[in-house]
Amino acid sequence: MTPFGPLGRRVRRSRRGGVELRLPEPEREFLRSLAPEMRELLSTPDDPAVGRLFPPAYPDDEERQAAYRLLAGSELMESHLAALEALEAAAGADRLDDDQAHAWLRALNEVRLVLGTRLDVTEEGTERPTSRDDPRLPAFAAYDYLSALQGELIDALSG
């Protein structure tokens, strides 16, 4: 189950290229809402969850890392913002071209990284809520939905 009900096949490869989207309006609204929230989070680079989107290139060399941040930091930020803009702009579309679909993949992955970091998601999955009263339940449902949608998009683009 997702926050919007059971997830059926929502994305498929189009014969004309790109992918076709079959998303109900509540899912489209949810996807649209992610961009402004993420843009706000990106303005707080000291947030450890946001830090996952800016991994260190030189973790053992502060001087080289600082130089790297100066050279590549703004380009990486622009890439994150462009992916979010593409997600937001095409959330109502029934079809994405390949460039839009790849931008969606980047945006979905970035949101999942931040959300997963906040939720302490691990491969073992032992952090999952076991009670319906757990306040993290909606965030895990969103994480699972985004993971499933990302998987469908990957499948559609690769085949």
Side-chain angles (χ1 to χ4, degrees):
M1 290 289 280
T2 69
F4 310 107
L7 184 64
R9 188 109 227 33
R10 304 276 201 248
V11 183
R12 69 179 184 138
R13 190 73 165 153
S14 172
R15 291 186 182 136
R16 300 180 324 219
V19 297
E20 293 177 5
L21 299 173
R22 295 182 180 167
L23 302 174
E25 189 54 34
E27 291 180 30
R28 292 173 186 278
E29 288 174 23
F30 173 68
L31 293 171
R32 248 182 240 109
S33 75
L34 296 174
E37 290 179 34
M38 281 295 291
R39 278 194 288 273
E40 185 176 330
L41 284 174
L42 287 171
S43 70
T44 57
D46 294 336
D47 182 326
V50 174
R52 291 272 297 152
L53 301 178
F54 300 91
Y58 303 98
D60 299 327
D61 188 335
E62 271 188 54
E63 190 174 310
R64 288 179 78 189
Q65 179 58 32
Y68 171 77
R69 215 175 295 120
L70 283 174
L71 289 173
S74 63
E75 187 175 317
L76 192 52
M77 177 66 86
E78 287 173 19
S79 173
H80 294 320
L81 293 172
L84 292 169
E85 184 178 319
L87 177 67
E88 185 176 32
D94 292 328
R95 187 177 169 287
L96 303 175
D97 65 29
D98 284 346
D99 289 340
Q100 289 171 310
H102 283 96
W104 272 45
L105 278 177
R106 286 193 315 275
L108 294 175
N109 190 56
E110 291 162 5
V111 174
R112 287 180 62 255
L113 275 173
V114 170
L115 194 52
T117 301
R118 289 240 166 97
L119 294 169
D120 291 322
V121 171
T122 64
E123 288 185 30
E124 295 80 35
T126 55
E127 68 286 333
R128 297 274 172 184
T130 56
S131 164
R132 290 190 181 269
D133 298 329
D134 192 315
R136 302 172 305 152
L137 199 58
F140 271 100
Y143 179 85
D144 292 340
Y145 169 76
L146 294 171
S147 298
L149 184 60
Q150 182 182 32
E152 283 198 38
L153 197 48
I154 289 168
D155 289 347
L157 286 170
S158 61

